[in-house]
């Protein structure tokens, strides 16, 4: 608001409910991660391509994400972030995968696992490098993705 030389009340005219501001921010993050994923998918098609960009972003914005995902944040914020992760996983569903209940459960499973891994990482006393967290997630998710991509 200070940089734009506007007051808070003017700002909130454009984002009447605070939820609209949050959804707009998460929408921007979703678009950025999708673009990052399109670039990475060519070099590592067996992995969820957006994960590296997400982990790097969380690392760069640790204070913001600690506030968003920490114990004091609202359930609404955590739920919207988890939904974002589930959507990003689902975006990478291979063409031809059936829409069975099992196939619908996989993005929820992996998105939830990624959410919890990020929450744990942000609260760790000795934070690991972003590359280590990304590698761990890919190692843990590889069997689930293989089964998912096989159409199970």
């Amino acid at each position: 608001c200070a940089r734009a030389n506007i007051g808070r009340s003017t700002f909130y005219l454009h984002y009447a409910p605070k939820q609209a501001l949050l959804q707009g921010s998460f929408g921007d993050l979703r678009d950025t991660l999708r673009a990052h994923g399109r670039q990475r998918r060519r070099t590592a098609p067996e992995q969820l391509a957006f994960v590296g960009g997400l982990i790097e972003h969380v690392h760069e914005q640790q204070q913001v994400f600690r506030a968003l995902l920490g114990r004091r944040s609202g359930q609404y914020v955590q739920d919207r972030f988890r939904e974002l992760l589930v959507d990003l996983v689902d975006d990478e569903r291979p063409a031809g995968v059936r829409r069975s209940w099992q196939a619908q459960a996989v993005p929820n499973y992996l998105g939830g696992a990624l959410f919890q891994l990020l929450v744990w990482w942000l609260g760790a006393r000795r934070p690991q490098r972003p590359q280590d967290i990304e590698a761990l997630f890919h190692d843990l998710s590889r069997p689930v993705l293989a089964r998912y991509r096989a159409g199970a």
Side-chain angles (χ1 to χ4, degrees), residues 92-105:
E92 295 196 30
R93 180 181 64 247
V97 169
R98 308 182 314 243
R99 295 296 292 176
S100 66
W101 69 267
Q102 295 96 333
Q104 291 176 7

Side-chain angles (χ1 to χ4, degrees), residues 29 51 115 140 147:
L29 178 59
V51 171
F115 176 85
L140 295 172
R147 184 172 176 195

Side-chain angles (χ1 to χ4, degrees), residues 86 104-114 144:
V86 170
Q104 291 176 7
V106 170
N108 284 278
Y109 177 82
L110 291 173
L114 181 55
V144 175

Side-chain angles (χ1 to χ4, degrees), residues 120-139:
W120 168 81
W121 181 43
L122 288 167
R125 291 180 184 233
R126 287 195 231 153
Q128 293 68 29
R129 298 176 314 144
Q131 305 91 305
D132 296 336
I133 296 300
E134 180 183 5
L136 175 64
F137 180 77
H138 288 310
D139 286 347

